[in-house]
């Protein structure tokens, strides 16, 4: 999943660079607006003090270990 996210962010950055160089400010703004929810979601996951994903239980070293 991180690979897909990295590809997406690379594509967004490349498109914004191309649109800026070509003078297409409106297209660059739309790409930025489309990118904002994804960036906000990643930022929210990063700064949230509590984990949002449930633990799978793999690697537990509790008292129930045989």
């Amino acid at each position: 999943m991180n690979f897909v996210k990295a590809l997406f962010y690379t594509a967004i950055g490349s498109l914004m660079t191309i649109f800026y160089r070509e003078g297409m400010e409106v297209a660059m703004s739309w790409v930025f607006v489309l990118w904002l929810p994804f960036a906000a979601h990643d930022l929210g996951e990063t700064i949230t003090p509590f984990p949002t994903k449930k633990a799978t239980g793999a690697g537990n070293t509790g008292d129930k270990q045989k």
Side-chain angles (χ1 to χ4, degrees):
M1 188 63 166
N2 286 336
F3 181 71
V4 174
K5 190 186 322 182
L7 281 177
F8 176 72
Y9 286 156
T10 302
I12 292 294
S14 299
L15 279 175
M16 288 184 65
T17 302
I18 291 168
F19 291 153
Y20 179 77
R21 290 185 63 191
E22 297 296 323
M24 301 169 67
E25 288 88 6
V26 174
M28 187 177 68
S29 297
W30 275 108
V31 170
F32 181 75
V33 166
L34 291 174
W35 170 76
L36 276 177
F38 297 100
H41 181 266
D42 286 344
L43 180 64
E45 280 188 342
T46 302
I47 65 174
T48 302
F50 303 107
T52 57
K53 297 178 182 173
K54 293 184 179 183
T56 60
N60 282 346
T61 57
D63 293 336
K64 297 179 181 179
Q65 195 175 30
K66 292 183 180 180

